[in-house]
Amino acid sequence: MNKYLALFIAVLYGAELNAQTLKPGPRLVVNIAIDQLRTDYLEHFSPLYGNDGFRRLLEQGCVYESPSFPFSPVDRASAIASIATGTTPRYNGIAGMKWLDRNTLRPVHCTDDAKFVASPARLTTSTIGDELKISTQGSAVVYSIAYDEAAAILSVGHAADAAFWRTSDNRQWTTSAYYGDAAVKWIKAYSRENIQKTENESVISLAEDCISTFIMGRDNTPDLLSLTLSAKDNSANASGHGNSTNSTLTDWQTEMLQVYVGLDRQLATLITNVEQAVGRENVLFVLSGTGYTDEPPTDYARYHVPTGTFHIDRTANLLNMYLVAVYGQGRYVEACAGNQIYLNRKLIEDRHITLNEVISRAKDFLVQNTGVSSVSESPYSPAISGDLIVDVTPGWQLINDETGEQYTSRAAFVPFPVILYGAGTPARRFTQPVSVCQIAPTIARAIRIRAPNACSEAPLP
């Protein structure tokens, strides 16, 4: 009997020692997405950086050099949603900033809400912020801040304490009644006293006030602050540089220089102040990009580069005429938006035609049009996308005369890094490809909670 008792005591003592030596997780995660961040620009301007911003992250952080988004096209809304949920639009329901409602054939915004005006209702899976709230029974503090409504709401999801963004006239911070009266009152009071001039500086200033006001990162329950900054803010980052000129740089290069040097300075301020507030060992910074860039229009014809115009609305009308010739009178094509074509599923069903047959014929017809490189079925839910995706030849312009949409097709890869810094993360570099959908499970592992409910990716190595 004494032998078993001694063994039991030894097991308990060993478990106690192991518990004491377990490395604590971060008390605060600051998840930063920099909209349209590019590795090539980041590296090009690196000689101008200080020691505490990008340089500190790149030299002292764990850097993943080759991340990508496992779907296309990518915009700010779909990128932020995928970072937060750890899955693609097929599951999280956010295919882009806008899409057509099949019932009304009118565009809907990704955060539209009939009751609250704006909310995460269209986000169909949990986020890392949601899972943190659930795992701590609501005691974790979760906020997000962005200049853009979609980025602010989608980066934290359904259970956050609040998401804050700037009003459309850029005059004050706001939020949604979805988050309750306390959040609305607090941000209104904050806006009366704190009007910042620039985008990124304004986001960071509010972030620091949130950490201070809501006592984030001060106890053993981990908290989450999601921020969206911009690498395309033409005025926000020029503080201290805006009047300088350099005859060896183009206007565009000068603008990008101001953006990246400004971001470096602003990140340095954020990192330094947060570390002083909660301790470097207690805060994990996660930085990533959004995998796309809005570039100025290119006049390829002027430089004899192959180009052309593809009118998707006219092509959709021609497709309808072709289907009428095959199946009889009817409106088989309901609408088109972006590079997507929406078929009339009810009519097809009423005519006892299989949807797969119509899609197959439509693909054969569309791919014969000049300027079309390929046609595929949508990988997303029919509720948020068309039935056919038309990929226009790179360098060609897609035009929709009915909606006024116009853009130049590009298939170029936009490089950006993913960086983890702080909370004991060792300085390392990984060159192998990784997915941004691995960010959420990586954060979940760090703070010892479940990954979001549609995330099937492993954490970053």
Side-chain angles (χ1 to χ4, degrees), residues 28-109:
L28 174 64
V29 175
V30 182
N31 191 16
I32 306 168
I34 302 183
D35 187 35
Q36 303 188 54
L37 178 70
R38 294 183 61 125
T39 298
D40 45 358
Y41 300 163
L42 180 63
E43 293 175 345
H44 182 68
F45 300 118
S46 60
L48 304 176
Y49 300 154
N51 293 324
D52 297 325
F54 283 129
R55 194 183 305 278
R56 174 163 33 170
L57 293 172
L58 292 168
E59 293 178 356
Q60 300 180 32
C62 181
V63 181
Y64 299 87
E65 298 180 354
S66 303
S68 63
F69 286 84
F71 60 92
S72 181
V74 180
D75 68 3
R76 185 166 57 253
S78 60
I80 296 296
S82 292
I83 292 170
T85 63
T87 191
T88 65
R90 179 179 183 87
Y91 298 103
N92 66 38
I94 306 297
M97 196 68 72
K98 294 181 179 180
W99 58 83
L100 287 189
D101 184 304
R102 278 192 174 270
N103 295 323
T104 64
L105 295 182
R106 293 181 179 277
V108 295
H109 190 269

Side-chain angles (χ1 to χ4, degrees), residues 304-318:
H304 311 292
V305 177
T307 187
T309 55
F310 175 75
H311 293 263
I312 192 165
D313 52 327
R314 301 177 191 177
T315 304
N317 290 333
L318 290 174

